[in-house]
Amino acid sequence: MANQNSCPDSYVTWLQCLACGRHHPPETSFLLCPECGPAGFLSVTYDYPAIRRRWPQSALASSRERGMWRYLPLLPVSPTSAPPPLVVGGTPLYPLPHIARRFGVKELYVKDEGQQPTGSLKDRASAIAVVRACELGVRTIATASTGNAAAALAALCASVQLKAVIFVPKTIPPAKLAQLIALGAHVLMVDGSYDEAFDLCTVACQRFGWYNRNTGLNPYMTEGKKTAALELCEQLGWRVPDLIFVPVGDGCILGGMHKGFADLLQLGWIDRLPRLVGVQSAGSNYLYRAWQAGPGHRVEALAPCTIADSIAVRLPRDPTKALRAVDETGGCFVCVTDEQITTAIKELARLSGVFAEPAAAAAFAGLRACAEDGALRAGETAVLLITGNGLKDTAPLVRSLRREEMPTLVAPRIESIERIFGDGTG
Ligand SMILES: *Cc1c(COP(=O)(O)O)cnc(C)c1O
Ligand SMILES: [Zn+2]
């Protein structure tokens, strides 16, 4: 395995094992705590007092950097490393006052990660991966992905001319596969599940010395994803929202959001954590069941069955960070059905103009589920993390359309239009 070397001059102090609490130096060559094995997920820790001294909020406010690199002191890369040229981060946050009232909250926002270069939040993690690989002198990066992490890695690698090797399951949607091929990645379609693709990728990285981008293993990927939380707080003028709805598959995005808020709390830039709501598909809900069962209870890994392919996971790779994210913020997990998801895609698009892929729209379906459960309070501010663009995967939506939602076939004559809209005099 590539030596996960330290990043000189960064503020990283150590990698902390979330299972045993041990500190490992950042130049360690492993991705999991060697004492704890597969449960030894690591978390990147910084010298927060030093950051606080040398990086006042005013310095951030006057930064002309628009994307995720504006938060460089809180990132695990050397300040002298060149960021990749693709602009990652800086996604819009839209207020939706008309929907807020409908759901009984004071304010509602949509963070539209569909605006990233490859159309999903995964670009934030892949941007860190390419900088880390360059720092380590590794020229090939590999990942296992149902599509979005793969596209993100392929694009970020292309932007700095590194090689991307992608292990995808056969169920990958066609638009996502096309994106990978166009971006020049070496695509290996694994005749098996996502879980098998993941394991194969991990072994191949060890065997060939590739940089392993698999989130859930690589603690640095959390650091990329957390920038969505940093950005969100800055966009809200450092006001902390009450609730954030996050679609959850493996749980890395949820863990990343938590890490971002926890870092800001350490710096004293915010004074509390928002409640994180992990939204899972009812057909892929391991974490929901694990959270309901409570610590120490065994939960069965079930084959996923959902249209939301980005959150279709049998056994989440990073249950620790995801469960902590919900527990330590007083949040919860909710489940939504495929039908609720397709309804949410249309409802969100029509109310906001933001077209979300099924997994991303689950966040909105989760808001509705909580509203119907009476879990929202009148004075609260909620944020939907819309993790991916609707153009990524249109088939499930099209399949779900009712007859009256289909386009109207008309003859190319004005009379056929008049039959629908009247004669125009009204
Ligand atoms: C990856 C992804 C998710 C889920 O992220 P996890 O870290 O696996 O929980 C949700 N939505 C979209 C669009 C994604 O690409
Ligand atoms: Zn440990």
Side-chain angles (χ1 to χ4, degrees), residues 70-191:
R70 18 187 318 110
Y71 309 105
L72 191 61
L74 278 175
L75 295 178
V77 299
S78 162
T80 57
S81 293
L86 281 182
V87 178
V88 178
T91 58
L93 182 73
Y94 300 122
L96 301 176
H98 46 300
I99 319 186
R101 277 191 296 278
R102 181 182 304 192
F103 286 95
V105 290
K106 181 156 145 272
E107 289 177 88
L108 179 65
Y109 293 87
V110 165
K111 178 90 175 135
D112 186 11
E113 291 290 307
Q115 298 301 310
Q116 297 278 13
T118 74
S120 89
L121 186 144
K122 300 293 198 295
D123 288 342
R124 295 180 186 272
S126 291
I128 298 286
V130 295
V131 175
R132 291 288 300 145
C134 288
E135 286 177 350
L136 298 164
V138 177
R139 305 290 307 165
T140 301
I141 310 182
T143 195
S145 167
T146 57
N148 287 342
L153 181 60
L156 269 301
C157 278
S159 78
V160 294
Q161 295 293 288
L162 293 183
K163 279 213 196 70
V165 178
I166 314 286
F167 296 77
V168 295
K170 282 192 303 186
T171 50
I172 181 171
K176 293 184 176 181
L177 184 59
Q179 200 177 12
L180 286 183
I181 293 169
L183 288 163
H186 196 141
V187 183
L188 303 167
M189 193 173 281
V190 180
D191 191 3

Side-chain angles (χ1 to χ4, degrees), residues 46 74-75 222-230 256-257 259-260 263:
Y46 298 82
L74 278 175
L75 295 178
T222 302
E223 300 305 296
K225 291 179 178 177
K226 83 179 179 189
T227 59
L230 307 181
M257 294 299 285
K259 178 61 160 47
D263 279 358

Side-chain angles (χ1 to χ4, degrees), residues 29 61 107 136 144 147 179 213 321 343 348 373 401:
S29 63
E107 289 177 88
L136 298 164
Q179 200 177 12
R213 184 230 176 266
K321 287 181 183 173
T343 301
L348 178 66
D373 266 8
L401 293 180

